[in-house]
């Protein structure tokens, strides 16, 4: 049992508590193991739809048709996106990129695969 549990790595809340082998944040509900790699500011791993690890500068292919708000047509499956950048986005959008014909946007890693 930890005397002073570490602050939450996601939201920096200091009111974390232990539950079995995990440490839990009451504000954002994030759970992690105290000795877990990546819990204390380690490098974040982003994987594509089939489990390949993505890195900045990779090229990816969209695996399913996507609707784009404000556009009559969406992004078709098979569209190649070059030079991605991994970001901490909103609502799971963790890829920042430029899509030909649409411009700059953010995509979820679950809808792309590494090219």
């Amino acid at each position: 049992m930890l005397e002073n549990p570490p602050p939450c790595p996601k939201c920096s809340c200091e009111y974390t508590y232990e539950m079995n082998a995990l440490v839990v944040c009451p504000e954002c509900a994030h759970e992690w193991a105290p000795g877990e790699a990546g819990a204390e500011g380690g490098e974040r791993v982003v994987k594509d739809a089939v489990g390949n690890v993505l890195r900045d500068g990779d090229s990816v292919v969209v695996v399913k048709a996507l609707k784009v708000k404000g556009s009559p047509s969406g992004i078709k499956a098979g569209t190649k996106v070059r030079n991605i950048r991994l970001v901490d986005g909103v609502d799971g959008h963790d890829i920042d990129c430029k899509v030909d014909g649409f411009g700059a946007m953010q995509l979820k890693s679950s809808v792309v695969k590494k090219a």
Side-chain angles (χ1 to χ4, degrees), residues 11-42:
C11 70
S12 301
C13 172
E14 58 187 46
Y15 302 111
T16 58
Y17 60 92
E18 283 189 79
M19 185 172 66
N20 298 329
L22 299 175
V23 179
V24 181
C25 176
E27 289 186 10
C28 70
H30 180 62
E31 299 178 351
W32 74 98
E36 187 177 275
E40 282 86 30

PDB file of all heavy atoms in Angstrom, residues 11-42:
ATOM      1  N   CYS A  11      -4.749  13.851 -15.807  1.00  0.00           N
ATOM      2  CA  CYS A  11      -5.306  15.169 -15.473  1.00  0.00           C
ATOM      3  C   CYS A  11      -4.567  15.852 -14.318  1.00  0.00           C
ATOM      4  O   CYS A  11      -4.964  16.929 -13.900  1.00  0.00           O
ATOM      5  CB  CYS A  11      -6.789  15.046 -15.133  1.00  0.00           C
ATOM      6  SG  CYS A  11      -7.121  14.196 -13.580  1.00  0.00           S
ATOM      7  N   SER A  12      -3.555  15.220 -13.762  1.00  0.00           N
ATOM      8  CA  SER A  12      -2.734  15.756 -12.669  1.00  0.00           C
ATOM      9  C   SER A  12      -3.493  15.946 -11.362  1.00  0.00           C
ATOM     10  O   SER A  12      -3.062  16.701 -10.496  1.00  0.00           O
ATOM     11  CB  SER A  12      -2.087  17.086 -13.076  1.00  0.00           C
ATOM     12  OG  SER A  12      -1.290  16.902 -14.209  1.00  0.00           O
ATOM     13  N   CYS A  13      -4.600  15.263 -11.187  1.00  0.00           N
ATOM     14  CA  CYS A  13      -5.369  15.334  -9.946  1.00  0.00           C
ATOM     15  C   CYS A  13      -4.543  14.713  -8.817  1.00  0.00           C
ATOM     16  O   CYS A  13      -3.949  13.655  -8.968  1.00  0.00           O
ATOM     17  CB  CYS A  13      -6.690  14.582 -10.097  1.00  0.00           C
ATOM     18  SG  CYS A  13      -7.614  14.413  -8.563  1.00  0.00           S
ATOM     19  N   GLU A  14      -4.508  15.373  -7.677  1.00  0.00           N
ATOM     20  CA  GLU A  14      -3.716  14.866  -6.552  1.00  0.00           C
ATOM     21  C   GLU A  14      -4.523  13.986  -5.605  1.00  0.00           C
ATOM     22  O   GLU A  14      -3.984  13.442  -4.656  1.00  0.00           O
ATOM     23  CB  GLU A  14      -3.107  16.035  -5.799  1.00  0.00           C
ATOM     24  CG  GLU A  14      -4.127  17.018  -5.264  1.00  0.00           C
ATOM     25  CD  GLU A  14      -3.492  18.248  -4.665  1.00  0.00           C
ATOM     26  OE1 GLU A  14      -2.584  18.815  -5.283  1.00  0.00           O
ATOM     27  OE2 GLU A  14      -3.919  18.635  -3.561  1.00  0.00           O
ATOM     28  N   TYR A  15      -5.818  13.819  -5.844  1.00  0.00           N
ATOM     29  CA  TYR A  15      -6.686  13.058  -4.938  1.00  0.00           C
ATOM     30  C   TYR A  15      -6.869  11.612  -5.397  1.00  0.00           C
ATOM     31  O   TYR A  15      -7.954  11.060  -5.314  1.00  0.00           O
ATOM     32  CB  TYR A  15      -8.040  13.753  -4.807  1.00  0.00           C
ATOM     33  CG  TYR A  15      -7.918  15.167  -4.302  1.00  0.00           C
ATOM     34  CD1 TYR A  15      -8.185  16.243  -5.121  1.00  0.00           C
ATOM     35  CD2 TYR A  15      -7.485  15.412  -2.999  1.00  0.00           C
ATOM     36  CE1 TYR A  15      -8.054  17.538  -4.657  1.00  0.00           C
ATOM     37  CE2 TYR A  15      -7.346  16.699  -2.530  1.00  0.00           C
ATOM     38  CZ  TYR A  15      -7.634  17.759  -3.365  1.00  0.00           C
ATOM     39  OH  TYR A  15      -7.495  19.037  -2.901  1.00  0.00           O
ATOM     40  N   THR A  16      -5.807  10.982  -5.882  1.00  0.00           N
ATOM     41  CA  THR A  16      -5.887   9.596  -6.328  1.00  0.00           C
ATOM     42  C   THR A  16      -5.927   8.648  -5.123  1.00  0.00           C
ATOM     43  O   THR A  16      -5.539   9.024  -4.023  1.00  0.00           O
ATOM     44  CB  THR A  16      -4.678   9.250  -7.210  1.00  0.00           C
ATOM     45  OG1 THR A  16      -3.486   9.487  -6.471  1.00  0.00           O
ATOM     46  CG2 THR A  16      -4.686  10.075  -8.483  1.00  0.00           C
ATOM     47  N   TYR A  17      -6.414   7.444  -5.364  1.00  0.00           N
ATOM     48  CA  TYR A  17      -6.489   6.446  -4.297  1.00  0.00           C
ATOM     49  C   TYR A  17      -6.205   5.066  -4.871  1.00  0.00           C
ATOM     50  O   TYR A  17      -6.285   4.851  -6.075  1.00  0.00           O
ATOM     51  CB  TYR A  17      -7.867   6.467  -3.618  1.00  0.00           C
ATOM     52  CG  TYR A  17      -9.020   6.171  -4.542  1.00  0.00           C
ATOM     53  CD1 TYR A  17      -9.490   4.874  -4.711  1.00  0.00           C
ATOM     54  CD2 TYR A  17      -9.650   7.191  -5.247  1.00  0.00           C
ATOM     55  CE1 TYR A  17     -10.547   4.598  -5.557  1.00  0.00           C
ATOM     56  CE2 TYR A  17     -10.712   6.929  -6.087  1.00  0.00           C
ATOM     57  CZ  TYR A  17     -11.157   5.623  -6.239  1.00  0.00           C
ATOM     58  OH  TYR A  17     -12.207   5.361  -7.080  1.00  0.00           O
ATOM     59  N   GLU A  18      -5.848   4.136  -3.985  1.00  0.00           N
ATOM     60  CA  GLU A  18      -5.547   2.765  -4.402  1.00  0.00           C
ATOM     61  C   GLU A  18      -6.793   1.899  -4.371  1.00  0.00           C
ATOM     62  O   GLU A  18      -7.632   2.028  -3.473  1.00  0.00           O
ATOM     63  CB  GLU A  18      -4.509   2.149  -3.469  1.00  0.00           C
ATOM     64  CG  GLU A  18      -3.115   2.622  -3.737  1.00  0.00           C
ATOM     65  CD  GLU A  18      -2.119   1.828  -2.937  1.00  0.00           C
ATOM     66  OE1 GLU A  18      -1.806   0.698  -3.343  1.00  0.00           O
ATOM     67  OE2 GLU A  18      -1.680   2.355  -1.908  1.00  0.00           O
ATOM     68  N   MET A  19      -6.901   1.020  -5.378  1.00  0.00           N
ATOM     69  CA  MET A  19      -7.963   0.033  -5.424  1.00  0.00           C
ATOM     70  C   MET A  19      -7.322  -1.265  -5.918  1.00  0.00           C
ATOM     71  O   MET A  19      -6.968  -1.370  -7.098  1.00  0.00           O
ATOM     72  CB  MET A  19      -9.092   0.472  -6.363  1.00  0.00           C
ATOM     73  CG  MET A  19     -10.274  -0.466  -6.343  1.00  0.00           C
ATOM     74  SD  MET A  19     -11.701   0.149  -7.256  1.00  0.00           S
ATOM     75  CE  MET A  19     -11.086   0.141  -8.915  1.00  0.00           C
ATOM     76  N   ASN A  20      -7.135  -2.206  -5.004  1.00  0.00           N
ATOM     77  CA  ASN A  20      -6.402  -3.438  -5.283  1.00  0.00           C
ATOM     78  C   ASN A  20      -4.995  -3.092  -5.755  1.00  0.00           C
ATOM     79  O   ASN A  20      -4.261  -2.428  -5.062  1.00  0.00           O
ATOM     80  CB  ASN A  20      -7.160  -4.325  -6.257  1.00  0.00           C
ATOM     81  CG  ASN A  20      -8.500  -4.757  -5.693  1.00  0.00           C
ATOM     82  OD1 ASN A  20      -8.657  -4.915  -4.496  1.00  0.00           O
ATOM     83  ND2 ASN A  20      -9.472  -4.939  -6.569  1.00  0.00           N
ATOM     84  N   ALA A  21      -4.604  -3.522  -6.962  1.00  0.00           N
ATOM     85  CA  ALA A  21      -3.258  -3.263  -7.454  1.00  0.00           C
ATOM     86  C   ALA A  21      -3.185  -1.985  -8.292  1.00  0.00           C
ATOM     87  O   ALA A  21      -2.126  -1.616  -8.784  1.00  0.00           O
ATOM     88  CB  ALA A  21      -2.783  -4.437  -8.296  1.00  0.00           C
ATOM     89  N   LEU A  22      -4.303  -1.295  -8.481  1.00  0.00           N
ATOM     90  CA  LEU A  22      -4.346  -0.106  -9.323  1.00  0.00           C
ATOM     91  C   LEU A  22      -4.451   1.174  -8.510  1.00  0.00           C
ATOM     92  O   LEU A  22      -4.900   1.161  -7.367  1.00  0.00           O
ATOM     93  CB  LEU A  22      -5.545  -0.178 -10.277  1.00  0.00           C
ATOM     94  CG  LEU A  22      -5.572  -1.336 -11.265  1.00  0.00           C
ATOM     95  CD1 LEU A  22      -6.870  -1.323 -12.042  1.00  0.00           C
ATOM     96  CD2 LEU A  22      -4.400  -1.269 -12.204  1.00  0.00           C
ATOM     97  N   VAL A  23      -4.068   2.277  -9.129  1.00  0.00           N
ATOM     98  CA  VAL A  23      -4.298   3.602  -8.570  1.00  0.00           C
ATOM     99  C   VAL A  23      -5.383   4.229  -9.434  1.00  0.00           C
ATOM    100  O   VAL A  23      -5.355   4.127 -10.661  1.00  0.00           O
ATOM    101  CB  VAL A  23      -3.011   4.454  -8.592  1.00  0.00           C
ATOM    102  CG1 VAL A  23      -3.282   5.839  -8.039  1.00  0.00           C
ATOM    103  CG2 VAL A  23      -1.907   3.779  -7.809  1.00  0.00           C
ATOM    104  N   VAL A  24      -6.375   4.877  -8.812  1.00  0.00           N
ATOM    105  CA  VAL A  24      -7.544   5.394  -9.520  1.00  0.00           C
ATOM    106  C   VAL A  24      -7.658   6.898  -9.296  1.00  0.00           C
ATOM    107  O   VAL A  24      -7.437   7.393  -8.196  1.00  0.00           O
ATOM    108  CB  VAL A  24      -8.833   4.693  -9.020  1.00  0.00           C
ATOM    109  CG1 VAL A  24     -10.052   5.208  -9.760  1.00  0.00           C
ATOM    110  CG2 VAL A  24      -8.720   3.194  -9.161  1.00  0.00           C
ATOM    111  N   CYS A  25      -8.037   7.613 -10.345  1.00  0.00           N
ATOM    112  CA  CYS A  25      -8.275   9.053 -10.257  1.00  0.00           C
ATOM    113  C   CYS A  25      -9.776   9.289 -10.127  1.00  0.00           C
ATOM    114  O   CYS A  25     -10.548   8.846 -10.982  1.00  0.00           O
ATOM    115  CB  CYS A  25      -7.746   9.758 -11.491  1.00  0.00           C
ATOM    116  SG  CYS A  25      -8.117  11.522 -11.503  1.00  0.00           S
ATOM    117  N   PRO A  26     -10.243   9.993  -9.097  1.00  0.00           N
ATOM    118  CA  PRO A  26     -11.678  10.217  -8.932  1.00  0.00           C
ATOM    119  C   PRO A  26     -12.246  11.264  -9.898  1.00  0.00           C
ATOM    120  O   PRO A  26     -13.443  11.293 -10.135  1.00  0.00           O
ATOM    121  CB  PRO A  26     -11.799  10.702  -7.490  1.00  0.00           C
ATOM    122  CG  PRO A  26     -10.476  11.313  -7.179  1.00  0.00           C
ATOM    123  CD  PRO A  26      -9.475  10.531  -7.972  1.00  0.00           C
ATOM    124  N   GLU A  27     -11.393  12.101 -10.479  1.00  0.00           N
ATOM    125  CA  GLU A  27     -11.882  13.153 -11.372  1.00  0.00           C
ATOM    126  C   GLU A  27     -12.084  12.683 -12.805  1.00  0.00           C
ATOM    127  O   GLU A  27     -13.112  12.958 -13.410  1.00  0.00           O
ATOM    128  CB  GLU A  27     -10.939  14.357 -11.336  1.00  0.00           C
ATOM    129  CG  GLU A  27     -11.028  15.113 -10.030  1.00  0.00           C
ATOM    130  CD  GLU A  27     -10.212  16.390 -10.046  1.00  0.00           C
ATOM    131  OE1 GLU A  27      -9.726  16.801 -11.116  1.00  0.00           O
ATOM    132  OE2 GLU A  27     -10.071  16.976  -8.962  1.00  0.00           O
ATOM    133  N   CYS A  28     -11.101  11.956 -13.367  1.00  0.00           N
ATOM    134  CA  CYS A  28     -11.219  11.533 -14.771  1.00  0.00           C
ATOM    135  C   CYS A  28     -11.414  10.021 -14.923  1.00  0.00           C
ATOM    136  O   CYS A  28     -11.527   9.524 -16.029  1.00  0.00           O
ATOM    137  CB  CYS A  28      -9.998  11.977 -15.569  1.00  0.00           C
ATOM    138  SG  CYS A  28      -8.461  11.115 -15.165  1.00  0.00           S
ATOM    139  N   ALA A  29     -11.432   9.283 -13.810  1.00  0.00           N
ATOM    140  CA  ALA A  29     -11.648   7.827 -13.778  1.00  0.00           C
ATOM    141  C   ALA A  29     -10.527   7.033 -14.447  1.00  0.00           C
ATOM    142  O   ALA A  29     -10.717   5.893 -14.830  1.00  0.00           O
ATOM    143  CB  ALA A  29     -12.999   7.459 -14.380  1.00  0.00           C
ATOM    144  N   HIS A  30      -9.354   7.626 -14.587  1.00  0.00           N
ATOM    145  CA  HIS A  30      -8.204   6.922 -15.158  1.00  0.00           C
ATOM    146  C   HIS A  30      -7.655   5.944 -14.127  1.00  0.00           C
ATOM    147  O   HIS A  30      -7.544   6.274 -12.951  1.00  0.00           O
ATOM    148  CB  HIS A  30      -7.134   7.937 -15.555  1.00  0.00           C
ATOM    149  CG  HIS A  30      -5.905   7.328 -16.150  1.00  0.00           C
ATOM    150  ND1 HIS A  30      -5.927   6.608 -17.319  1.00  0.00           N
ATOM    151  CD2 HIS A  30      -4.617   7.332 -15.737  1.00  0.00           C
ATOM    152  CE1 HIS A  30      -4.708   6.194 -17.592  1.00  0.00           C
ATOM    153  NE2 HIS A  30      -3.891   6.622 -16.647  1.00  0.00           N
ATOM    154  N   GLU A  31      -7.336   4.722 -14.572  1.00  0.00           N
ATOM    155  CA  GLU A  31      -6.766   3.696 -13.697  1.00  0.00           C
ATOM    156  C   GLU A  31      -5.418   3.271 -14.257  1.00  0.00           C
ATOM    157  O   GLU A  31      -5.265   3.121 -15.460  1.00  0.00           O
ATOM    158  CB  GLU A  31      -7.682   2.481 -13.628  1.00  0.00           C
ATOM    159  CG  GLU A  31      -9.048   2.773 -13.071  1.00  0.00           C
ATOM    160  CD  GLU A  31      -9.944   1.543 -13.079  1.00  0.00           C
ATOM    161  OE1 GLU A  31      -9.565   0.518 -13.669  1.00  0.00           O
ATOM    162  OE2 GLU A  31     -11.020   1.614 -12.479  1.00  0.00           O
ATOM    163  N   TRP A  32      -4.420   3.077 -13.398  1.00  0.00           N
ATOM    164  CA  TRP A  32      -3.108   2.625 -13.836  1.00  0.00           C
ATOM    165  C   TRP A  32      -2.412   1.912 -12.697  1.00  0.00           C
ATOM    166  O   TRP A  32      -2.739   2.084 -11.534  1.00  0.00           O
ATOM    167  CB  TRP A  32      -2.285   3.792 -14.352  1.00  0.00           C
ATOM    168  CG  TRP A  32      -1.750   4.716 -13.307  1.00  0.00           C
ATOM    169  CD1 TRP A  32      -0.499   4.718 -12.761  1.00  0.00           C
ATOM    170  CD2 TRP A  32      -2.445   5.775 -12.645  1.00  0.00           C
ATOM    171  NE1 TRP A  32      -0.381   5.706 -11.828  1.00  0.00           N
ATOM    172  CE2 TRP A  32      -1.570   6.380 -11.733  1.00  0.00           C
ATOM    173  CE3 TRP A  32      -3.746   6.291 -12.735  1.00  0.00           C
ATOM    174  CZ2 TRP A  32      -1.914   7.439 -10.924  1.00  0.00           C
ATOM    175  CZ3 TRP A  32      -4.094   7.353 -11.925  1.00  0.00           C
ATOM    176  CH2 TRP A  32      -3.197   7.924 -11.042  1.00  0.00           C
ATOM    177  N   ALA A  33      -1.443   1.076 -13.096  1.00  0.00           N
ATOM    178  CA  ALA A  33      -0.608   0.391 -12.103  1.00  0.00           C
ATOM    179  C   ALA A  33       0.539   1.342 -11.752  1.00  0.00           C
ATOM    180  O   ALA A  33       1.122   1.949 -12.637  1.00  0.00           O
ATOM    181  CB  ALA A  33      -0.071  -0.915 -12.671  1.00  0.00           C
ATOM    182  N   PRO A  34       0.869   1.493 -10.473  1.00  0.00           N
ATOM    183  CA  PRO A  34       1.875   2.480 -10.077  1.00  0.00           C
ATOM    184  C   PRO A  34       3.238   2.288 -10.735  1.00  0.00           C
ATOM    185  O   PRO A  34       3.905   3.251 -11.041  1.00  0.00           O
ATOM    186  CB  PRO A  34       1.987   2.319  -8.568  1.00  0.00           C
ATOM    187  CG  PRO A  34       0.894   1.449  -8.140  1.00  0.00           C
ATOM    188  CD  PRO A  34       0.297   0.814  -9.342  1.00  0.00           C
ATOM    189  N   GLY A  35       3.669   1.091 -11.011  1.00  0.00           N
ATOM    190  CA  GLY A  35       4.972   0.859 -11.626  1.00  0.00           C
ATOM    191  C   GLY A  35       4.912   0.691 -13.126  1.00  0.00           C
ATOM    192  O   GLY A  35       5.899   0.362 -13.762  1.00  0.00           O
ATOM    193  N   GLU A  36       3.760   0.911 -13.708  1.00  0.00           N
ATOM    194  CA  GLU A  36       3.531   0.683 -15.129  1.00  0.00           C
ATOM    195  C   GLU A  36       4.337   1.659 -15.981  1.00  0.00           C
ATOM    196  O   GLU A  36       4.348   2.852 -15.729  1.00  0.00           O
ATOM    197  CB  GLU A  36       2.042   0.874 -15.404  1.00  0.00           C
ATOM    198  CG  GLU A  36       1.588   0.513 -16.785  1.00  0.00           C
ATOM    199  CD  GLU A  36       0.084   0.681 -16.897  1.00  0.00           C
ATOM    200  OE1 GLU A  36      -0.637  -0.240 -16.539  1.00  0.00           O
ATOM    201  OE2 GLU A  36      -0.341   1.762 -17.322  1.00  0.00           O
ATOM    202  N   ALA A  37       5.016   1.140 -17.020  1.00  0.00           N
ATOM    203  CA  ALA A  37       5.746   2.015 -17.938  1.00  0.00           C
ATOM    204  C   ALA A  37       4.739   2.849 -18.699  1.00  0.00           C
ATOM    205  O   ALA A  37       3.728   2.353 -19.168  1.00  0.00           O
ATOM    206  CB  ALA A  37       6.570   1.183 -18.912  1.00  0.00           C
ATOM    207  N   GLY A  38       4.999   4.124 -18.836  1.00  0.00           N
ATOM    208  CA  GLY A  38       4.075   5.010 -19.524  1.00  0.00           C
ATOM    209  C   GLY A  38       3.156   5.730 -18.559  1.00  0.00           C
ATOM    210  O   GLY A  38       2.538   6.716 -18.908  1.00  0.00           O
ATOM    211  N   ALA A  39       3.028   5.266 -17.325  1.00  0.00           N
ATOM    212  CA  ALA A  39       2.162   5.935 -16.359  1.00  0.00           C
ATOM    213  C   ALA A  39       2.807   7.210 -15.851  1.00  0.00           C
ATOM    214  O   ALA A  39       2.125   8.172 -15.569  1.00  0.00           O
ATOM    215  CB  ALA A  39       1.852   5.010 -15.190  1.00  0.00           C
ATOM    216  N   GLU A  40       4.135   7.222 -15.756  1.00  0.00           N
ATOM    217  CA  GLU A  40       4.817   8.414 -15.270  1.00  0.00           C
ATOM    218  C   GLU A  40       5.480   9.165 -16.418  1.00  0.00           C
ATOM    219  O   GLU A  40       6.681   9.338 -16.453  1.00  0.00           O
ATOM    220  CB  GLU A  40       5.865   8.053 -14.205  1.00  0.00           C
ATOM    221  CG  GLU A  40       5.276   7.771 -12.839  1.00  0.00           C
ATOM    222  CD  GLU A  40       4.838   6.331 -12.691  1.00  0.00           C
ATOM    223  OE1 GLU A  40       5.439   5.451 -13.323  1.00  0.00           O
ATOM    224  OE2 GLU A  40       3.885   6.103 -11.940  1.00  0.00           O
ATOM    225  N   GLY A  41       4.692   9.590 -17.398  1.00  0.00           N
ATOM    226  CA  GLY A  41       5.197  10.436 -18.473  1.00  0.00           C
ATOM    227  C   GLY A  41       6.025   9.722 -19.516  1.00  0.00           C
ATOM    228  O   GLY A  41       6.795  10.354 -20.214  1.00  0.00           O
ATOM    229  N   GLY A  42       5.891   8.429 -19.670  1.00  0.00           N
ATOM    230  CA  GLY A  42       6.619   7.704 -20.695  1.00  0.00           C
ATOM    231  C   GLY A  42       6.043   8.013 -22.062  1.00  0.00           C
ATOM    232  O   GLY A  42       5.065   8.722 -22.207  1.00  0.00           O
TER     233      GLY A  42
END
